[in-house]
Amino acid sequence: MRLRRLSALLAVLSGAPALAYVPSLSSAQLQEAAAQAQRLAQSADSGYPVRPYTLYAVEDNLRLVAANGDVDAVTIATPFERTRYQVFVHKIGDDPITPAQAREQAQLPDHQVAFIVFAHGSSPDDQDFLKGISALTFTLGGRTLRPASRDLSDTSLSQYPRTVGEIGLRYIGTVTTRYVIPAGLEAASGTLSFTDATGKTFRMPVNLSRYR
């Protein structure tokens, strides 16, 4: 049995402020993303700093609380952040890559953002919880955007050791939904909403000017 936590959740409480959303990275911005990742990898024990890109997170991601539903966190991904993440992952894995290679592996095209929902099953044997997460509704600048893609990850067992009354084993996974950002809305605000498999509704503000 493999017990692990998703890397983003491990680092929800770390990180430095982000800057405005960049829809397409210049060569200089690619180099900057790589340089940030190199510095972060020097203190990898602190995890990857996802806090600036976190839209929602439970108070204690090592404890299951029924009222929270199935969702542990929701993050926003940008071309800059995903490029930085790829450099970071390869660096700590002792398999360095170039900034251009990292951009290719980022799985987020230019002019898009992705929302990543981190979730868990409602019971120790529940492996279908990701299918119960509704389609996301994303409004931006007064417009409701259609998703460009939606991907469900594989699931794996994880432990929530501070859960009261049980060992806290659950299957975990992610739902990633990508959107094309229309020209002129790169600094716009809006809302993201969806419902999880328990019927709990999540609604959170999104301001693209906060996320580089």
Side-chain angles (χ1 to χ4, degrees):
M1 179 185 300
R2 182 176 63 171
L3 303 179
R4 66 181 178 88
R5 304 294 295 154
L6 292 171
S7 61
L9 289 181
L10 283 172
V12 159
L13 299 181
S14 65
L19 300 174
Y21 170 68
V22 180
S24 179
L25 303 185
S26 66
S27 295
Q29 289 162 341
L30 280 174
Q31 294 294 334
E32 183 181 354
Q36 285 189 18
Q38 296 281 352
R39 291 193 296 270
L40 293 170
Q42 293 176 5
S43 56
D45 289 345
S46 300
Y48 178 74
V50 75
R51 168 179 264 190
Y53 296 88
T54 300
L55 302 177
Y56 166 85
V58 296
E59 184 175 348
D60 184 351
N61 60 38
L62 296 179
R63 180 183 180 185
L64 296 171
V65 178
N68 291 338
D70 287 345
V71 176
D72 294 313
V74 180
T75 64
I76 184 171
T78 68
F80 183 92
E81 182 272 332
R82 288 290 89 183
T83 301
R84 185 182 71 169
Y85 176 74
Q86 287 296 329
V87 174
F88 175 86
V89 169
H90 281 269
K91 178 64 176 179
I92 64 174
D94 199 24
D95 179 29
I97 58 176
T98 67
Q101 289 173 326
R103 185 72 195 98
E104 290 177 0
Q105 296 179 24
Q107 297 184 329
L108 187 63
D110 288 351
H111 303 283
Q112 291 193 21
V113 300
F115 297 103
I116 307 173
V117 178
F118 296 84
H120 62 266
S122 296
S123 62
D125 60 350
D126 179 10
Q127 297 188 56
D128 294 326
F129 58 96
L130 293 178
K131 298 177 183 177
I133 295 176
S134 72
L136 274 58
T137 299
F138 179 35
T139 63
L140 185 68
R143 297 171 57 179
T144 299
L145 305 186
R146 291 180 177 271
S149 65
R150 172 182 162 99
D151 297 318
L152 277 59
S153 73
D154 294 331
T155 60
S156 61
L157 270 176
S158 187
Q159 187 175 26
Y160 296 75
R162 289 200 281 265
T163 300
V164 177
E166 60 162 294
I167 193 172
L169 285 178
R170 294 292 188 275
Y171 283 94
I172 61 172
T174 62
V175 177
T176 301
T177 307
R178 300 173 185 82
Y179 291 87
V180 176
I181 303 303
L185 296 184
E186 294 87 355
S189 296
T191 59
L192 181 74
S193 59
F194 64 93
T195 302
D196 73 5
T198 72
K200 181 178 175 63
T201 297
F202 295 83
R203 182 179 175 87
M204 56 209 70
V206 178
N207 182 346
L208 289 187
S209 67
R210 296 183 56 191
Y211 310 107
R212 188 168 193 183

